[in-house]
Amino acid sequence: MDRWYEAPGQPGSNVVYSRIRLVRNWKEYPFPSRMTKEQDSELTARLCESFKGIGPADGTKYRFAYLDRMTDLEKTSLVERRVLNRGIVKKQGTSGLILSEDESVGVIINGEDHIRIQVCDTGLKTTECYERAERIDDFIDSRIEYAFDRKYGYLTSYPTNVGTGLRVSVVLHLPLLSTWKNFNSLTADMGRFGTSIRGLYGEGGENFGALYRISNQKTLGQTEREIVDLVTKTAAELDQKEQNLRSDAGRRRSLARLDEVYKSYGVLKYARRLTRKDAMNLLSQIMAGINDGMIETKEPCSVFGLVLGIQPANLLRMAKKPLDKDELDAARADFLRERLPEIR
Amino acid sequence: MLCENCKMREATIKYVEVINGVKSEHNLCTHCASRLDIGQYSALFEGEFPLAELIAGIFGKTDSDRSRDQYAQVVCPTCGTTYEEFMKNSRFGCADCYSVFDPLIGDNIRRLQGSESHVGKRPAGHRITENGEGAQAAAEKADRQQSEKDAELPVAERIELLQSRIKGAVQREEYEEAAVLRDELKKLKEETGQNG
Ligand SMILES: [Zn+2]
Ligand SMILES: [Zn+2]
């Protein structure tokens, strides 16, 4: 079965994907940082038992895995695919992962909180993702008693998640907007209205691939609907701003842009060695090119799927042996040569 | 512009940090900037969950030394988390920690979240029950009982209580609430002849 990120993007939209995350805790146990080893395995076993039946209930196939029995490489590759958050890779003690076949729905048991529900989908589908996460939340709510306080709402390990426990994120591809002179004041304004923005990939001060994630800063004092709406509206505005700049640029210097896109395709299709940075920036050109109708692949292509594919842990996992930097860059070029579809 | 940390003094220091190519700007007063590791502070607004010590920087260092010593003794009886540990990790150990540490960190949560009360979804067990007494009604009842209890206190203590509530409201910049409390205090003083 295809993974959710393998679905091709929608032409005309710069939204790559939407993600909902809900955290919950079980009233019967202390939060994970204060649990004994015995409690770790007991809670994980009991919660997994409670989650049985979720598959038939939401018509999806799930599989279960113990995170503490996975290798660091497997876990890091799940981090790259956005299933796990980085913090859990080093966690001691029993914890579990319930993951749908297409990896769009993941529940982490006994991570930083007892339950972390995540739903992802391509495009601007925050509402759909939230509704799906809420159904899973309701399913568990009918089986265990959540830690809840009338003042603070759903109680979480970190006060940065308390209240709704909800984080709504939208990832956008903003190659022109991010180089626009007013981009920084735009993001500062967004902060004042309660959303934050950060680069998805990069090193130090440099961004690779022009992918940006916006999400709500606060989790308390607003309803779930308000939080979803805030992030969705902000994402739609950024998408529109990017689109306007792109149409302008397309009109003004169409040959230059066409040339850039085709050259990028050529390098990706024929290079024998590619650094992560170069590959990400070239894929960014392809993403924009497909979106703007400047280049068309013979088969539908998820450029974001390729972005996930060329990350180091995934390449190492596929190689099934350790690789040095040059070998990794070669494996990356091989991966892209093989996966990038032909163009018309 | 006000300092975004204390929201009390004029921000005189602008701090800019770039993470994965996104520039974020923070405005702090000299007082807060000198007390915070601003490189870490800026990360408060980044990422899915800010790393613990980043918030601890804010939570810990806005309290006076005196009150910090006083608070250091507070321990959650359920899970054993101490106030000091919370300051270090910005992480609670159990659900009860919230009520145990609420008097100490309520203002900080409010500052962090811009609110102190949940208005969203509730678990099934906390929704309005069939006999009409839902959580909201129970909460209001508890508030009523609290003010009745307050009314039984000696006048001097009631005055003191009101004064500290006014102070709290002003600190939280809830001037409307402060005004209501001030009127209440005035009335109480008049009724009991404790004017001036
Ligand atoms: Zn300040
Ligand atoms: Zn506790």
Side-chain angles (χ1 to χ4, degrees):
Chain A
M1 185 183 192
D2 279 359
R3 308 255 164 81
W4 68 270
Y5 50 79
E6 283 162 351
Q10 291 157 329
S13 166
N14 301 293
V15 176
V16 181
Y17 71 92
S18 308
R19 194 196 71 171
I20 294 292
R21 189 226 55 196
L22 272 182
V23 294
R24 300 287 188 251
N25 285 283
W26 194 351
K27 200 182 174 186
E28 271 183 41
Y29 293 87
F31 296 153
S33 66
R34 283 274 157 184
M35 278 161 56
T36 62
K37 268 192 158 134
E38 290 70 36
Q39 284 175 316
D40 279 333
S41 43
E42 186 189 295
L43 171 123
T44 306
R46 287 182 71 191
L47 274 181
C48 289
E49 190 58 38
S50 306
F51 268 100
K52 269 189 188 151
I54 180 79
D58 83 342
T60 310
K61 258 197 184 151
Y62 288 92
R63 59 194 171 86
F64 172 82
Y66 281 104
L67 285 172
D68 47 313
R69 292 180 197 165
M70 283 185 195
T71 62
D72 277 6
L73 182 63
E74 282 177 286
K75 283 189 271 190
T76 309
S77 124
L78 285 167
V79 171
E80 286 177 356
R81 302 210 299 282
R82 312 280 144 190
V83 172
L84 301 181
N85 48 325
R86 210 160 274 285
I88 202 168
V89 175
K90 295 282 166 225
K91 184 188 160 92
Q92 309 286 316
T94 313
S95 55
L97 170 68
I98 297 164
L99 190 61
S100 70
E101 246 185 341
D102 68 353
E103 298 190 355
S104 64
V105 183
V107 182
I108 297 172
I109 309 284
N110 200 28
E112 283 161 347
D113 289 279
H114 295 151
I115 299 168
R116 173 187 183 273
I117 303 166
Q118 175 179 293
V119 180
C120 294
D121 204 355
T122 50
L124 192 53
K125 300 206 194 79
T126 43
T127 302
E128 292 87 336
C129 290
Y130 176 71
E131 283 165 1
R132 198 155 176 207
E134 193 178 30
R135 279 199 297 275
I136 298 170
D137 179 40
D138 290 340
F139 180 87
I140 293 305
D141 186 21
S142 65
R143 282 161 177 79
I144 67 168
E145 189 177 349
Y146 281 145
F148 183 85
D149 176 80
R150 71 175 173 86
K151 179 179 171 192
Y152 285 125
Y154 292 94
L155 302 177
T156 54
S157 289
Y158 291 97
T160 45
N161 292 327
V162 76
T164 54
L166 172 66
R167 191 81 56 202
V168 181
S169 310
V170 175
V171 169
L172 294 122
H173 182 228
L174 305 172
L176 281 194
L177 192 63
S178 58
T179 56
W180 186 46
K181 59 183 190 323
N182 294 331
F183 186 59
N184 288 324
S185 66
L186 181 76
T187 58
D189 280 347
M190 285 171 52
R192 277 187 270 285
F193 290 107
T195 54
S196 65
I197 182 165
R198 64 169 303 171
L200 202 61
Y201 296 100
E203 260 166 38
E206 202 182 354
N207 184 286
F208 301 165
L211 294 169
Y212 294 85
R213 182 180 75 198
I214 62 156
S215 41
N216 56 307
Q217 283 178 356
K218 288 159 186 172
T219 54
L220 185 68
Q222 284 171 292
T223 64
E224 287 79 3
R225 182 61 50 207
E226 286 167 338
I227 295 172
V228 170
D229 286 349
L230 171 74
V231 176
T232 311
K233 226 182 91 209
T234 312
E237 273 170 29
L238 289 174
D239 182 25
Q240 192 55 52
K241 282 202 166 74
E242 170 71 24
Q243 209 54 34
N244 294 345
L245 289 174
R246 288 251 281 279
S247 329
D248 272 4
R251 269 195 298 275
R252 280 188 288 111
R253 36 191 285 276
S254 56
L255 184 61
R257 283 213 56 211
L258 203 63
D259 182 55
E260 259 177 319
V261 171
Y262 275 87
K263 274 181 179 157
S264 302
Y265 180 85
V267 174
L268 287 171
K269 196 66 190 165
Y270 295 102
R272 290 302 190 261
R273 215 166 62 174
L274 283 167
T275 62
R276 193 166 78 106
K277 176 184 165 182
D278 287 347
M280 299 276 303
N281 290 335
L282 293 164
L283 283 171
S284 170
Q285 292 284 350
I286 304 296
M287 205 180 258
I290 292 177
N291 196 357
D292 296 348
M294 290 194 289
I295 193 168
E296 199 183 340
T297 56
K298 284 186 180 163
E299 295 119 45
C301 172
S302 162
V303 182
F304 183 63
L306 295 175
V307 168
L308 292 179
I310 60 163
Q311 301 306 317
N314 187 55
L315 294 173
L316 286 167
R317 195 173 59 110
M318 288 175 61
K320 295 190 174 71
K321 62 175 187 192
L323 302 175
D324 67 22
K325 197 190 167 297
D326 277 350
E327 290 169 329
L328 195 62
D329 288 349
R332 183 174 290 117
D334 293 346
F335 179 93
L336 286 166
R337 261 203 326 280
E338 199 178 301
R339 306 292 167 101
L340 196 64
E342 297 294 322
I343 45 176
R344 282 185 212 276
Chain B
M1 187 182 290
L2 277 177
C3 165
E4 64 187 56
N5 180 45
C6 62
K7 300 200 172 65
M8 284 166 71
R9 286 171 287 268
E10 183 70 17
T12 49
I13 293 180
K14 180 188 277 187
Y15 174 67
V16 177
E17 192 183 60
V18 184
I19 291 180
N20 292 352
V22 176
K23 210 155 127 187
S24 46
E25 199 184 290
H26 301 291
N27 297 282
L28 301 168
C29 69
T30 45
H31 177 81
C32 293
S34 69
R35 286 172 156 243
L36 294 166
D37 177 353
I38 48 179
Q40 293 191 331
Y41 176 64
S42 67
L44 177 68
F45 302 101
E46 308 289 338
E48 174 166 81
F49 61 98
L51 291 168
E53 60 272 23
L54 315 182
I55 327 167
I58 292 184
F59 274 47
K61 291 168 186 169
T62 50
D63 285 318
S64 71
D65 291 341
R66 186 189 59 84
S67 54
R68 217 184 311 166
D69 289 345
Q70 195 181 318
Y71 294 164
Q73 317 299 325
V74 180
V75 180
C76 170
T78 311
C79 71
T81 297
T82 65
Y83 182 62
E84 226 166 335
E85 279 173 308
F86 171 72
M87 301 296 246
K88 200 166 142 252
N89 304 316
S90 295
R91 184 175 64 193
F92 288 122
C94 75
D96 294 340
C97 284
Y98 277 91
S99 50
V100 172
F101 297 113
D102 186 40
L104 312 183
I105 50 90
D107 280 358
N108 301 81
I109 289 189
R110 189 193 170 80
R111 203 173 301 149
L112 183 76
Q113 290 277 8
S115 167
E116 61 181 356
S117 50
H118 179 62
V119 294
K121 188 179 178 179
R122 293 164 166 272
H126 292 260
R127 294 182 197 134
I128 306 296
T129 54
E130 274 174 36
N131 63 22
E133 175 139 309
Q136 196 55 44
E140 279 159 14
K141 197 169 154 194
D143 285 346
R144 256 195 327 272
Q145 281 167 347
Q146 185 60 43
S147 49
E148 277 162 20
K149 230 159 75 192
D150 289 350
E152 290 162 14
L153 292 171
V155 176
E157 275 185 40
R158 278 164 67 194
I159 288 175
E160 214 172 284
L161 190 70
L162 277 170
Q163 280 168 338
S164 80
R165 278 195 196 158
I166 292 170
K167 208 172 133 207
V170 170
Q171 273 172 0
R172 293 194 305 270
E173 296 178 46
E174 289 189 337
Y175 300 115
E176 272 179 48
E177 190 193 326
V180 171
L181 291 166
R182 184 203 54 206
D183 292 345
E184 211 176 300
L185 178 66
K186 204 172 144 209
K187 207 172 123 217
L188 180 66
K189 280 182 172 174
E190 277 167 6
E191 281 170 7
T192 54
Q194 298 217 0
N195 261 322

